[in-house]
Every structure is written in C-alpha cells, then in structure tokens.
Amino acid sequence: MMHKLAYGAALGLTLGLAGSASSMNDQALRAAVAYAPPQEPEALLVNSLLEISRNRLDMAMVEIDNAIKANPNFRLAHLIKGDLLLAHTRPINTIGDAPNAPHQRIVELREEAKARLQRRSQHPPLDYIPKYLLQMHPGQHYAIVVDISLSTLYLYQNLNGEPRYVTDYYISSGKNGSEKLKEGDQRTPLGVYFVTATLPKSQLSDFYGAGAYPISYPNEWDRQHGRDGHGIWLHGTPSNTYSRPPRSSNGCVVLTNQDLTTLGKTLQIGLTPVIISEHVEWMSPDNWRAQRNALVSQIENWRRDWENRDTDAYLRHYAKNFNANGHTLSQWAKQKHRVNAAKTWIKVDVSNVSMFLYPGYENLAVVNFDQDYSSSNLSTQMKKRQYWIKENNHWKIVYEDAA
Amino acid sequence: MKKPNVAALLLLLALAMFGLWAVADELQDANALFKQGNQAQALDKVNSYLASHPKDAKARFLQGLIYTEQNKTAEAIKVFTSLTEDYPELPEPYNNLAVLYAAQGQYDKARNALETAIRTHPSYATAHENLGDIYAKLATQAYDKALQFDKTNTTAQTKLELIKELFSSSPRAAKVTAKTDTAKTDTVAAVTPSTPEPQKVKTDNAAKENQPVATAAAGDDTQDVLKTVNDWAKAWSKGDVAAYLAFYAQDFKTPNGESREAWEKSRKERISKSMSIQVTVIDPKVTLSDATHAKAGFKQDYRSNTLKSTTAKNLLLVKSGDKWLIQREQAGR
C-alpha cells in the first residue's frame, strides 16, 4: 500500500507567488507538460509531479526513473524518487521529506521544483514576442531573452526579420537576485548585452561545465549609472551536477551543460543579443510591428535631417540630458553647427539596424547600425550605437557613440 | 531426538510400507542438522537426497538456506533463482533472494524480487515487511544522491528476514503479521511447521516509546481503554463476530482501504473459519493523546488451528459517549 504524497501546498505556493491561481491545478499542469519536449529530464520530472498530483504514484515512479535515466545527476529527480519510495512506508507531507536532511539544500531543491513547474505553466502564447526584440538585423541569427523571475532563458530565431520562438531553458541566476550594481554583489544584471567571447571547456575549471560565453556587462548605460563589476557569463554546471538551484550563482546565468552546448551553436560572438529582464513583457505581433515602425521612422527622420544639413532639425532629435562620452547636448550642438557649416553636402547611409528595448524602462531603446557617412570634406564608415528614449512621447537620442 | 511414541511408530511403519521411509528421513535429518547449526552435514544429507530427487522444492530450498548460512551467497542465489524459475508461484524463494541481494547492496534487485513475491501472495507479511525496509533503504540512497551526501556515509546495512520454511504462508488476513517469536516456534513440531521463523527478531520499540499518562482523570480513561482492549481480544477469541465488530468505530480505517462492508465480510469469514482462536494481549501500554483519543500498544499473541503469531500492534481508539472504539488497527514493530 502506498501513502499519499501531499505536495499540493509546496507546489501551490508557486502559482500563488506569481499572483495567478492559488493552487497548482490539473489544467495548469497539463499546460505545463504541453510545452515540454517529451524526453527532456525536466519534462519527465514535470510529468512525474503531474502524476503525483493525481495520486498515480506508480506512474510517477516510472516518469521519475526516466528523468534520472535521462540525466543521472538530476538531484531534484532523486529527491522526488526518495519521496516516492518512502511513501511506501509512511505519508509524505512535502517535497523532500528526507529525515535529517540539511535544511538549506532541501529548500533549494524545493525552489527548483517550484521554478521548473512555474516556468512550464506560465508559458506565453507562442506567437507573442518579447517586447525587447523590436528589430534584429539580417546578420543576427538568434537572440536570447532571460526572465529572471521564471528562471528561464528564451531563444528566438530571426526569421526574415521576425523573431520566432525556438525553445527555452531552465537557468539559475544570482544568489541575491537581479539589478546588479556593484562588484561582488552576487546579482545578475538587467539590460541589453551582447555575447563577447567564447571560452571553451578546456580553458575553464570543471565548475563552469561545458563552456562559457561572457556578455558585455557593464555596458555604456551601466557605466553612466555607476554600475560596475565584471565577469558576467552564460555558463554550464560542474560535471557531477545536472542543474543548480534557481538562485545560486554569483551573478552569471547558468544552464545545464546539455542546454549550454545546444545554445552555444546558435551564438555569434559580438552579435547575439542577451537581454536580461526580471519579468519579460510580451507583445502581440501587431503591437510589435507598430512599435517597431514608430522607432524606424524616427531614425529615418534623424538620418534625413542630418543629410539635409538642417542642423536645428537634426539637433531636435537629441534629448535634453544627452550624454556621449561626457559631452553634453550644448557641446554636441556647438560642434555639429561648426562641422556642418563647413560642408557643401552630406550623405548618410544607415544599414543593418537593430533595435532592442531596454528591460526595466518604459521607453528606452538600444539602436545599433552600420553608418556610411560621406561629405564634401570627409567620409567615414563606422558601427554606431545610440540609446533612444521617449521624451514627451517623442523618441530622442540620449547617448551616441561608435559601437 | 525424542523417543518416538506408539502413534509415531505406526506412522513410520506406514511410511516404510510405501518405501518413503529412508528418503523422508534423510530430508528430515538434513532439516534437523540445519537447525542444530551443523551446516556441513546438513548439506551432505540434502545433496544426497537431491541426487535422487533433483526437482524437490523443499530440499532445494533447504540447500539454499544452508548455503546462505555458510555465506556462500553466489550458490544460494543460484539455488533460490532456479526455484523461482521452476516454481514462480512460491513467494518464499523470492523473499530469500531479496534478502541475499539486499545483503550485497543490490536493493533494486531485492525490491523486484519482493514485489514479485507480493504479486503472487498479496498478504505475505514477511515480504511486505522486508519490502518496507527496502523502500526505506532505497529512499535513503535517493536522498543521498539528491543532497550530495558522501557515498562513504555509513548507514546501517538493511537486514531482512530470511524465510526458513517453504509453504509457510498460511492463509490469513493481510494485516495479521505472522512475525513469530523464535523461542516460541521451537515448541512447534518440526515435522509440520506452519509459520515462518524469522532469522532476526526486530526490537519492539512500540512497547517502550510511550509511558501511560498518570494523571488521576486520565487514570480512569487508561483503565477503560485497557478493559476495552482486553474485551476486544476476548470477543475475538470466542469467535463472537458481532461483539468483535462492535469494537470498531463507524469511521474505522480499514487496513487496505476497502469498504467497511467488505472488511466486515472478510473478518467474519476469517474468524468463523478458524476452529479455535486464542488472542492474548501482552504488555499493553496506553497513551492518551487528548480527552477522547488514545493509543494502545501491545504484543498480540495469536493462536489458531492454522496460525500462531506474536506481533506488535497499535490500536488507535476514540471515545464515543462512554465507550472507546477502535479507529485504526496497525500491525508492525
């Protein structure tokens, strides 16, 4: 005879925290399973939890054994298996009802169970787009969006200019949460970053697992706002560990080795955006198109006004608190008036434009493009980065420099 | 050996007439030698018997037991495995295989063997208890992996009960655990033993764990509970089914979750089938958890024409009016 596993309270808390249903119901779990690729360890684990919630403990054991077979280092799966076995001898009242277990480890594994269920049950509609991905340029094949609150990394593919959902992965982030501010604060930064390098397994200790991909924290926006620290990477897990608890890193984004290896194949050094948000916001495709077109036309106006040598109109595209490498708007204006007056013609070409909305701000966008500038006395080609912000409901440039 | 009496002599003569005397004697001797701890001679006898009766289940079973006692684990596993192949319906060889696997730390194999034993004999108490121990051990291993405990973690090795007699699973209620006291089974005739002799008798924690509450008010209740338990045993002993069933509360939790009706029916059948039942309550300890709830723990000595057992038992009782009624009945350690 088997005793019931009373997991309800532990799992219900998940959705309660997210402000959704007060308990994990069957429908939510079914939805959770629908998105999980069938033979992934996480999908098998979620299946097992689903069977437990229906009190079908034999089936739950089959699923959890499969999860362990899929990855023998899946500690959470071993914990659930322990509960399922012990349920033969006495009632189990919560996840990880192990006698004499170290409290902190049990708490962490419970958090992982909650996180894995929660991210499975709160999947957005597949055709919705994270609002940050306003535009990828044709050479950017993929984009990464991280939702810290859901312990999830979403991978999007650039399909003829439209971001298309590919997959998502469970991730661990900083012990002390997000909004990194200072070196050593063990927080994960929020912002728009790019993959800057690849560090193969052979150059790393086992702690980083299958490899690492540093990202561009702190970026120019972080530095302007006094945020420092370094060494924020996407990386894997030690060889004896399948996954780490949701809040366990020193600020890095940690994936399973298997997921990191798969993800690694999509990454382009210097190109692939990694956008980290506390709560990802989603847009319908129509809304996304409207937002994108609005910013595209503002960038085009800026380019045209510059090309027309209408310096006053051109300068109206800049925000009052504009700042580029310590230059204020008035210094910038003075220099532009002087330079433009000396020219008889200007031609500006802008290509490979990417536009990413900045997490944590209502209206802030990072815009990158290739700028081909020629004029009567000077020609340059450069990669440029601008930050656009909405001022009185109009997009204005608040930062501009070579990228 | 005991001096044979006349009746036994007549029986021996009858056996001799059928030509069975010598061989039956050989196996009995082997059994006796085994029980005396003379494994080498027992093995000689049983091997010589098996030379002429290679398929005999009882002899092969005894051979497996001797190998087990001699710590010839591989040989013992081979013997019990071949018994499970030739007699898949017998639970005892599976149980003993499980004991051997568990001793080797092969808990998954032990679990499979015990689950098979229970599939063929769902009420097989020793296998149930052993399986409970295996589940607990496997759970510990799973938790260790989950919590990154060191493999060198020296948890006590699980010791399971070896079954020493074939065909020992007498019919009985699933929850009446036939865990007998070795000292007592010695008095049962060696020729037709009907109960398993566990190799290991587990310590009875239930008897020690709770002291009776000693307040004046509680004293009366404690006496009432004790009287209820004794009366319950008496009604059972008399085979008075109606009186026996009246000791159970309306919300009594049936042992296998069956309906009250089905449970009553099976109890009626069991109790009326046995020609003589003697149930004795030994060493009762009563604990009052509140004014209307009590736990009575005791050793239950049960003797009938088919089964003799001593088990630890806990009764959870609830006060209804001025009567105490049984809400749960738990057999165990």
Side-chain angles (χ1 to χ4, degrees), chain A residues 1 3 61 65 75-76 78-79 81-83 85-86 88-89 92 96-102 105-106 109 240-241, chain B residues 108 111 115 128 131-136 138-143 145-149 175 253-257 328:
Chain A
M1 196 184 89
H3 298 276
M61 183 62 100
D65 276 337
R75 296 206 173 108
L76 175 58
H78 285 290
L79 190 76
K81 181 172 180 172
D83 286 346
L85 286 162
L86 212 56
H88 283 281
T89 65
I92 300 296
D97 214 348
N100 310 320
R105 283 185 187 166
I106 291 283
L109 288 169
N240 68 351
T241 303
Chain B
D108 276 319
R111 171 183 161 193
E115 284 176 346
H128 271 290
L131 187 55
D133 289 351
I134 289 290
Y135 282 134
L138 283 167
T140 305
Q141 285 188 335
Y143 287 138
K145 283 182 191 156
L147 301 165
Q148 305 158 261
F149 282 149
K175 279 287 160 181
K253 195 168 179 303
T254 56
N256 296 314
R328 283 190 80 160

Side-chain angles (χ1 to χ4, degrees), chain B residues 48-127:
Chain B
S48 125
Y49 180 81
L50 277 169
S52 51
H53 302 80
K55 283 277 157 205
D56 187 282
K58 279 196 166 182
R60 287 159 69 189
F61 191 79
L62 179 58
Q63 189 188 37
L65 291 176
I66 296 168
Y67 283 141
T68 306
E69 287 295 324
Q70 292 179 327
N71 289 322
K72 293 180 183 164
T73 305
E75 285 92 335
I77 285 178
K78 210 171 133 193
V79 170
F80 288 126
T81 303
S82 79
L83 274 171
T84 63
E85 285 159 2
D86 295 348
Y87 304 95
E89 72 284 0
L90 294 182
E92 294 89 347
Y94 284 111
N95 180 79
N96 289 0
L97 262 183
V99 175
L100 292 162
Y101 286 140
Q104 292 182 328
Q106 301 197 68
Y107 297 112
D108 276 319
K109 278 184 158 178
R111 171 183 161 193
N112 285 340
L114 287 169
E115 284 176 346
T116 312
I118 284 165
R119 256 199 300 283
T120 56
H121 285 73
S123 65
Y124 202 76
T126 307

